[in-house]
Amino acid sequence: MAQETSLLLLKPDCVAQGLNGEVLKRLEAEGFRVRGIKMIQLTDELLKDHYSHIADKPFFPEVANFMKSKPVIAVALGGENVISHVRDLLGPTDSKAAPKGTIRGDFGSDKMTNVVHASDSPEAAAVELKRFFKDGEIFNY
């Protein structure tokens, strides 16, 4: 089993609905540990970098406007196989297809308002964590 750290973004819909504690409670109940956490307001520059794979798509402005609509909470979450396990706990990206009992199935609305972004691979996590956390902001304990 691999010890990993994943980036999670508690998205504007999560923040607006006051679900931050519930989401973190579910993740911590699985044995994962918060290694870093902060609330931030996303900028166009950061969003273009984070969503570079869709930045040229016609729907990107809608995604960017949603992600800037409220602050997000960036979380560095650590644990054994955290990346794949968290994605299972979240359910599919499209909340309408996510089963009840998953985070997106219980709290999400659709593909965009789906409560949480989570890294999809160790490689992506390494890049994303550096994008959202400075040196010294992620802790081992």
Side-chain angles (χ1 to χ4, degrees):
M1 300 257 173
Q3 285 292 319
E4 300 173 325
T5 303
S6 182
L7 174 80
L8 280 69
L9 296 177
L10 305 186
K11 294 170 104 177
D13 55 317
C14 184
V15 172
Q17 294 178 70
L19 296 171
N20 313 311
E22 179 62 31
V23 169
L24 290 173
K25 177 181 172 184
R26 287 188 185 197
L27 297 171
E28 288 180 318
E30 294 292 319
F32 301 127
R33 297 190 79 151
V34 172
R35 297 189 53 218
I37 188 166
K38 61 183 173 179
M39 182 175 268
I40 58 174
Q41 183 67 53
L42 299 178
T43 64
D44 287 325
E45 182 180 342
L46 186 60
L47 286 164
K48 284 179 186 170
D49 187 30
H50 186 64
Y51 289 114
S52 61
H53 60 290
I54 62 166
D56 62 343
K57 304 288 186 202
F59 59 85
F60 176 72
E62 183 181 2
V63 172
N65 287 336
F66 166 67
M67 292 299 290
K68 292 186 307 184
S69 66
K70 304 244 180 324
V72 300
I73 297 175
V75 181
L77 193 70
E80 282 191 17
N81 296 316
V82 69
I83 294 167
S84 63
H85 194 119
V86 163
R87 293 184 67 80
D88 289 342
L89 294 170
L90 292 178
T93 300
D94 186 350
S95 297
K96 291 177 183 175
K100 289 294 177 195
T102 64
I103 291 169
R104 289 176 175 149
D106 290 348
F107 304 120
S109 301
D110 54 39
K111 285 183 182 179
M112 187 164 42
T113 52
N114 63 2
V115 188
V116 181
H117 161 84
S119 301
D120 63 6
S121 69
E123 298 78 19
V127 171
E128 292 177 347
L129 288 163
K130 286 181 182 174
R131 183 178 294 134
F132 288 92
F133 289 93
K134 298 175 187 164
D135 287 343
E137 291 183 332
I138 297 177
F139 300 87
N140 286 316
Y141 61 97

